[in-house]
Amino acid sequence: MKLLDKKTRVDATKLVIFIVVTTLATSVLVVLIGNLTFGSTRTYQAEFTDATGVVKGDDIRIAGVKVGSVKGIKIFKQTHALVTFSVLDKATVTRSSTATIRYRNLVGQRYISLTQGVGDVSRLPQDSTIPLSRTQPALDLTLLFSEQPEGLRLRL
């Protein structure tokens, strides 16, 4: 006794192939769109005077390439922000590296750019903190646009 006729078997085979291809394509899209990275990471911290706009999940970039993400932000010494982030193990963060908060787009999203500083080029130990002297907050555009020269003020 046959369980499935020939047409049903062909249709079932096509369905299985469709499901496998669709699942693979969806998985590739999730990895690409989600900027997911696979591999071991190292955790660091950076102290900023102002980390406004930085949120958990924002990118950490070296030379414009995403190498990690922000894991958390907390108040530090009552007037500073301590940003915890992870980077791929293959990305080198040195003892002289600097961290700068930059605008990612016109909407105001941010990312942290790590650059090689001058001096000690040995690798920064895991769980170390980049001090305030080697960090720079993002440009505050509201201050920039609210400052008007005296001659340009409108008088009503």
Side-chain angles (χ1 to χ4, degrees):
M1 177 177 154
K2 284 187 167 182
L3 292 175
L4 300 173
D5 64 351
K6 185 176 180 181
K7 182 175 179 353
T8 306
R9 275 186 278 142
V10 169
D11 290 342
T13 304
K14 287 180 181 179
L15 179 63
V16 168
I17 291 170
F18 173 77
I19 290 172
V20 168
V21 169
T22 304
T23 302
L24 287 174
T26 303
S27 300
V28 168
L29 284 174
V30 165
V31 169
L32 291 175
I33 292 173
N35 260 339
L36 299 179
T37 53
F38 303 100
S40 59
T41 61
R42 294 165 101 26
T43 302
Y44 298 103
Q45 297 175 331
E47 183 181 351
F48 291 93
T49 55
D50 184 7
T52 304
V54 176
V55 295
K56 184 178 179 181
D58 280 351
D59 293 352
I60 303 295
R61 298 182 184 187
I62 295 176
V65 178
K66 180 183 177 190
V67 295
S69 62
V70 173
K71 297 298 176 196
I73 305 153
K74 64 181 181 180
I75 296 174
F76 183 66
K77 295 181 182 176
Q78 297 181 0
T79 58
H80 298 124
L82 189 65
V83 177
T84 303
F85 61 93
S86 65
V87 297
L88 291 173
D89 199 32
K90 64 183 178 184
T92 304
V93 179
T94 65
R95 293 181 186 272
S96 62
S97 291
T98 60
T100 306
I101 299 174
R102 302 225 170 140
Y103 281 93
R104 180 177 177 179
N105 54 32
L106 294 174
V107 177
Q109 290 178 311
R110 314 287 173 100
Y111 71 92
I112 297 177
S113 174
L114 298 176
T115 54
Q116 175 64 45
V118 178
D120 193 352
V121 292
S122 61
R123 182 174 240 173
L124 188 65
Q126 181 160 327
D127 296 322
S128 295
T129 301
I130 298 174
L132 191 61
S133 61
R134 291 196 326 257
T135 62
Q136 186 175 6
L139 175 65
D140 190 352
L141 294 177
T142 54
L143 284 177
L144 181 68
F145 290 125
S146 67
E147 296 292 325
Q148 295 177 355
E150 194 62 38
L152 294 178
R153 290 206 173 127
L154 297 174
R155 296 177 193 214
L156 300 174

